[in-house]
Amino acid sequence: MMTQLSALQSWVDQVAKLTQPDAVRWCTGTDAEYQELIESMLADGTLTTLNQAQYPNCYLHRSDPSDVARVEHLTFICTADETDAGPNNNWMDPDAAHAKIDALFDGCMQGRTMYVIPYCMGPIDSPYARCGVEITDSPYVVINMKLMTRMGEKALQRIENDKTFVKGLHSTGDLDPERRLIMHFPAELSIKSIGSGYGGNALLGKKCHALRIASHQARQEGWLAEHMLIVGLESPEGAIHYIACAFPSACGKTNLAMLIPPKSLPGWKIWTLGDDIAWLHLDDDGRLRAINPESGYFGVVPGTNEATNKNAYDMIRHDTIFTNVAVTKDGEPWWEGKKNGEPATDWQGRDFDAANGKAAHPNSRFTVAATNNPSYSALADAPQGVPIAAIVFGGRRKELAPLVYEAKSWAHGVLVGASVASETTAANAGEVGVVRRDPMAMKPFCGYNFGDYWAHWLSFAARSDKLPKIFHVNWFRQNAAGEFLWPGFGENLRVLRWIIDRCENRVAANETPIGFLPNPADIDTTDLDISAATMQALTSIDRAQWRAEMESVGEYLESYGDRLPDALREQQRNILAALR
Ligand code: OXD
Ligand code: MN
């Protein structure tokens, strides 16, 4: 017996009976355990060592080439009533889903060790944190969970006190995409995932628990589980504003969360709380507070360099697990966008040959503890989290969406979030570059019907008059020649500054049907090579395009039928009317 909590012990016993591992190991979360697992994975080839002089304690894992991204078409929400999962999810009946996936789990751990990982999402002593236990046969998952979550003995103690936890069962199975499934049972607070070792499919604390299951828990308990970075912006005067930003996968959340202020904005400092997930709660004063349930980053590697994200570049110089990057002849990790070195072997371990495509997989990743980040905020460990001054939505849009605009009210902001659309990226298996709707950047991650989710968002207005303002940004506007209009990266602080000025009522704005847009002169462009015409284009709207957009938003919303809150439809109708 490894725990006093009989519900946990009996579940572990039951899983062992089904999966038949050779051994069961309860993870303690110690550094010694981490090191021991690294050694054994180096010995069996699951990990390769990287140049330890240049990259101390850095290792490379090469995944199965068919297993390099999340698989939304194999991801299911299993609710008794199909409409509770909503048109935004794949659905399966819970009994049928258990039967189907249990058949795959039957005996799947023979010859393997079964690891039991108690973990806590959020600071261990935070009232806002929630715990889970992941059972897995992948030591790669264990070491990633060690970097990404607070796992081990302390988490187990909390679970024994809370007497409740999310159950996550994972096996890499045989990695056959035909036998790969990621299933969620919100009513049971449980997850079952088989056939993939990739991050979002296998590190169950992240997307499966902290977003899909947590969004369901959050709705029941009156909070929000969101696909948002959390960052503190400290002005030269020393005031810190915390903002939470939701962008679809691989749209630069990690870069924004740790951006380096440009030289022409001296005295600004950035504090990173989180780069992917925020849990938002109203405090007793009605202020929205955020914690990051994670304690590490699982970020996209390609494109990371001194210019785009120096903090990330520095933080992955040590104690990092790389997945699917290329390697130089000196054993250093290499990826597209890295300014030094050359790939000798590609992400599949073959001699690099440009004819085979990119050297690093476009969705190659780093896993690293948040404390490695030079801009790490100690408040990431604060039990009460941080107060949020602004919520920022965004997407990757070549056209249409201006650089920034502000919603006119909370309800309007919910519509702005619900209308988020973005060009797809390599973070999910499938076509890249097509525009799809990704409300609140939660399309792949909301564990229930979006109609009910929007109603839940809207309900916050009745609970507080101190809610943050809501904004929308687009760093990705292009001209006809396909060139970006805005420099992005650290320069985005110029836009965030306007957002803070708006929150503090320090600057006026232009009212348009879609929201408040900046006067171009109110975005500081000192030292930027950007023309007045470009700034004008970035801070204005094309009414005809926006009419078409709002019509398409209306059609999209209608697809939620009865579950669509009237208040949201009304927001959309009003804007459309104003555009006409
Ligand atoms: C991620 C994703 O890995 O959103 O964070 O895909
Ligand atoms: Mn993400």
Side-chain angles (χ1 to χ4, degrees), residues 357-435:
K358 302 230 192 274
H361 189 276
N363 193 36
S364 52
R365 297 279 178 150
F366 55 75
T367 317
V368 73
T371 46
N372 264 29
N373 174 6
S375 65
Y376 176 73
S377 165
L379 290 181
D381 255 320
Q384 301 296 328
V386 292
I388 294 300
I391 287 177
V392 183
F393 293 112
R396 193 181 275 273
R397 299 297 299 259
K398 286 193 192 69
E399 40 186 42
L400 185 81
L403 183 58
V404 58
Y405 63 98
E406 177 192 327
K408 296 182 181 177
S409 65
W410 180 261
H412 177 211
V414 176
L415 178 74
V416 169
S419 320
V420 166
S422 194
E423 293 145 23
T424 50
T425 67
N428 171 48
E431 211 182 334
V432 169
V434 293
V435 175

Side-chain angles (χ1 to χ4, degrees), residues 140-454:
Y140 168 80
V141 166
V142 180
I143 57 169
N144 276 272
M145 287 291 282
K146 156 89 170 158
L147 298 175
M148 298 295 300
T149 70
R150 290 133 174 117
M151 70 97 133
E153 255 149 30
K154 284 217 172 96
L156 181 58
Q157 274 164 24
R158 174 157 174 166
I159 290 168
E160 288 173 342
N161 285 332
D162 289 358
K163 298 191 173 40
T164 170
F165 59 97
V166 171
K167 294 189 185 100
L169 171 55
H170 168 255
S171 169
T172 48
D174 59 9
L175 293 176
D176 183 340
E178 297 294 315
R179 284 187 289 279
R180 183 174 292 161
L181 286 168
I182 294 98
M183 297 189 160
H184 304 74
F185 304 89
E188 302 167 21
L189 300 185
S190 87
I191 304 153
K192 290 184 177 176
S193 163
I194 193 161
S196 168
Y198 172 78
N201 304 328
L203 311 178
L204 301 186
K206 194 175 182 61
K207 305 300 188 180
C208 299
H209 176 167
L211 289 174
R212 298 195 191 97
I213 297 291
S215 61
H216 161 87
Q217 282 181 300
R219 180 183 175 215
Q220 288 184 326
E221 300 173 6
W223 49 283
L224 294 165
E226 297 300 324
H227 192 203
M228 292 177 176
L229 67 93
I230 312 164
V231 66
L233 311 167
E234 183 174 341
S235 71
E237 295 74 39
I240 308 187
H241 288 83
Y242 296 93
I243 63 172
C245 311
F247 310 146
S249 306
C251 283
K253 283 204 301 299
T254 304
N255 290 344
L256 187 68
M258 46 191 81
L259 74 70
I260 309 266
K263 288 210 175 53
S264 44
L265 296 185
W268 282 82
K269 289 198 198 94
I270 295 308
W271 301 105
T272 315
L273 279 290
D275 78 329
D276 197 41
I277 301 178
W279 285 358
L280 305 168
H281 289 256
L282 284 179
D283 68 13
D284 294 341
D285 296 333
R287 278 190 312 177
L288 200 63
R289 306 191 71 90
I291 62 162
N292 173 14
E294 303 187 283
S295 63
Y297 312 123
F298 179 69
V300 176
V301 188
T304 307
N305 60 45
E306 293 95 324
T308 58
N309 189 342
K310 183 168 186 325
N311 282 328
Y313 190 72
D314 291 346
M315 100 185 155
I316 60 177
R317 282 302 293 263
H318 64 100
D319 299 285
T320 300
I321 298 164
F322 289 91
T323 301
N324 293 338
V325 294
V327 182
T328 68
K329 68 173 182 356
D330 300 325
E332 293 187 17
W334 193 90
W335 53 87
E336 276 69 21
K338 194 178 187 191
K339 300 278 191 245
N340 51 332
E342 276 169 24
T345 7
D346 73 7
W347 64 276
Q348 298 188 55
R350 302 172 298 196
D351 287 346
F352 173 63
D353 178 350
N356 288 331
K358 302 230 192 274
H361 189 276
N363 193 36
S364 52
R365 297 279 178 150
F366 55 75
T367 317
V368 73
T371 46
N372 264 29
N373 174 6
S375 65
Y376 176 73
S377 165
L379 290 181
D381 255 320
Q384 301 296 328
V386 292
I388 294 300
I391 287 177
V392 183
F393 293 112
R396 193 181 275 273
R397 299 297 299 259
K398 286 193 192 69
E399 40 186 42
L400 185 81
L403 183 58
V404 58
Y405 63 98
E406 177 192 327
K408 296 182 181 177
S409 65
W410 180 261
H412 177 211
V414 176
L415 178 74
V416 169
S419 320
V420 166
S422 194
E423 293 145 23
T424 50
T425 67
N428 171 48
E431 211 182 334
V432 169
V434 293
V435 175
R436 72 162 184 179
R437 295 256 164 239
D438 192 351
M440 278 78 173
M442 283 287 276
K443 165 71 184 69
F445 307 121
C446 183
Y448 61 102
N449 191 316
F450 261 151
D452 298 333
Y453 169 77
W454 296 322

